[in-house]
Amino acid sequence: MQKLKYDGYRFQVKTFGIAFLTGSLLVTGCSMNRSLTQKEAEPKKPLVAALEKAEAKAQDRETDELDALEEEFISTVSLDSTDESSDKSESIKLIDAEGNLYPTPLEPIQAPAVGDQAVLAGGMTLDQLEAIALENNPAIQELAATTQKAAGFREQVTTRPNPTVGYQAQQLADRGTDQHLAFVEREFVTGNKLELNNRVLNATLAAQLQELEAQRFRVRTDIQIRFYQALALQRQLDLIREFSEVAEKGVDFAQQRMEAGEGTRVDILQSKILLNEVQLTRRQTQARLSAVWREIAALSGVPEMEYSRLEGTLPSESGIVDWEGLASNIVTASPEYAAAHDRISRAYAALERQEVQPIPNMTAQLGAGVDYGTNSGMLNLQIGVPLPISNKNLGNIDAANAEICRAQMEALRIKNSIEERLAVVSKEYDTATAAIDLYSNDILPSAKESLDLANQAYQAGEVGFVQILLARKTFFDTNLKYVDAQAQLAGAQSKIDGFVLTGGLNSVRDDSGDSSLRDQTFSQQ
């Protein structure tokens, strides 16, 4: 009798040992997929590159005292050519389910080509403003967070299910015949659903990374446009300041001539009108400069940033552009268009994922326990699968096919939008180029020669004082218009270098997806 009891206990221990080993395999074993999401060997890189801290405030520079001006207006400024180096943006790599690398982000934009013009000494540079904006612009930070969301969802939809452990007791009221059972339950995913989940969210993450890169271009382009606008306004204020002193001396000279009996009241009035017009132009230019600086501060994400004189150059010449070839190159390299193609890839991956959804997962349960009624151990094994009879996921498959069509049309819309925006930029570029060419080669030299001849004629007594004022006013206006053309050309070049992406503070696209594919994977419905 004791031997039989010992054999019974030995049988129970052996049964529990087999159950424990099998349960461990259920808990730690892999699913029925060929392979699950591969973990990147390299540590994750931050989504937004750390930027060097730009100086918070540029040193203030006082304007040097102007030399004493003669009666005629000072000629045009001398020009010195400089080169600006382009910065390099951070390369972000994305690994898909098969370990293939997505293309690295595009090269950063370059500053517009500069002509032969003196660089303003001391002040805030374009690179400093760009660094501040890329670090603090809220739209960039929002898209960076959106990209992190997409990365989190990608990780979530590829995780395997948790096992279920439990305890079951039967016939507890019937003493001596009660049964006790411990079990482990596990769902095995079929059809490579987890791998396909990864592909869908991987394409989503790739699209969001491209959207983030596009937003960086938008901010840079907007900063560049405002920078060159402010630079042009600074240059115009310098010209206005110079001509204002000439106009003030003209009023004094007209009064002296009238007191000497050589001039008339008309000469005084005309000289005062000219001075008032110059003063009005200065006030309007200062107001425009103040407004542009507030735009720069808002785009930079630092609204309280104090004004600092800018340092840079304006373009004075440009080449002929092949607009058709440029349009093709911009479309090919644009991060905006690349994001649209990533969304097409996501749509195809989603279709493949929905097609395998009807393949049922398998749920297995293994239990081991003891039956005190027979004084022996027992094992329990259950396997179940849902039958795809009523729900074959046809609706989701149709929706996935429609999403492919929608994503393709969206890519076509973006392509046409890029070409349309480039057409507008080509008008700005070509008109500015024509103006700069005509002003630098014909109008400005003619205005300067006309002023010189008017001075000579006045000294010879051939023309009156009013003609001198008109010649000076013409020379002044042509210089201001020339600077306007330079700013327009710089802005157009900035848009070209930035893939015609503008709107650094516009609402951004949150297309980070969600974790619903995981719920669909394990609901089987």
Side-chain angles (χ1 to χ4, degrees), residues 305-321:
M305 185 166 55
E306 296 181 359
Y307 170 76
S308 175
R309 188 173 176 86
L310 302 178
E311 176 185 349
T313 59
L314 291 169
S316 59
E317 59 183 13
S318 60
I320 299 176
V321 178

Side-chain angles (χ1 to χ4, degrees), residues 182-183 222 250 252 261 334 449 464 477 491-492 501:
F183 66 88
D222 285 355
D252 294 339
S334 171
E449 184 179 0
D477 289 339
L501 289 169

Side-chain angles (χ1 to χ4, degrees), residues 242-295:
E242 295 175 3
F243 191 74
S244 179
E245 293 198 4
V246 175
E248 289 175 358
K249 289 186 177 182
V251 173
D252 294 339
F253 183 69
Q255 291 176 345
Q256 293 173 5
R257 290 181 71 249
M258 185 175 177
E259 292 173 358
E262 297 178 359
T264 63
R265 177 69 177 169
V266 174
D267 294 341
I268 297 178
L269 293 176
Q270 289 290 337
S271 59
K272 286 183 176 180
I273 290 173
L274 178 60
L275 177 60
N276 290 336
E277 289 180 346
V278 173
Q279 291 173 343
L280 175 60
T281 303
R282 176 173 57 190
R283 292 177 60 183
Q284 292 174 335
T285 304
Q286 288 173 340
R288 288 196 293 269
L289 178 57
S290 177
V292 170
W293 181 260
R294 291 197 299 271
E295 290 183 60

Side-chain angles (χ1 to χ4, degrees), residues 120-141:
L120 300 175
M124 186 172 290
T125 65
L126 177 60
D127 289 340
Q128 289 175 323
L129 283 178
E130 285 183 355
I132 294 173
L134 292 175
E135 185 176 6
N136 298 283
N137 182 271
I140 291 179
Q141 301 301 324

Side-chain angles (χ1 to χ4, degrees), residues 61-64 66 69 73-75 77 117-121 230-246 278 281-282 285-286 289 307 309-310 312 314 476 479-480 483:
R61 181 177 63 88
E62 297 182 354
T63 307
D64 297 331
L66 297 172
L69 298 174
F73 188 72
I74 299 297
S75 179
V77 296
Q117 183 163 325
V119 178
L120 300 175
L231 201 62
L233 292 170
Q234 284 183 178
R235 176 61 189 142
Q236 288 178 335
L237 283 175
D238 291 340
L239 293 173
I240 292 169
R241 189 181 300 111
E242 295 175 3
F243 191 74
S244 179
E245 293 198 4
V246 175
V278 173
T281 303
R282 176 173 57 190
T285 304
Q286 288 173 340
L289 178 57
Y307 170 76
R309 188 173 176 86
L310 302 178
L314 291 169
F476 171 69
N479 274 274
L480 293 186
V483 175

Side-chain angles (χ1 to χ4, degrees), residues 71 253 257 262 267 452-468:
E71 203 167 342
F253 183 69
R257 290 181 71 249
E262 297 178 359
D267 294 341
D452 293 339
L453 293 176
N455 287 328
Q456 295 175 7
Y458 176 75
Q459 293 174 0
E462 298 175 358
V463 296
F465 184 73
V466 174
Q467 279 72 19
I468 289 293

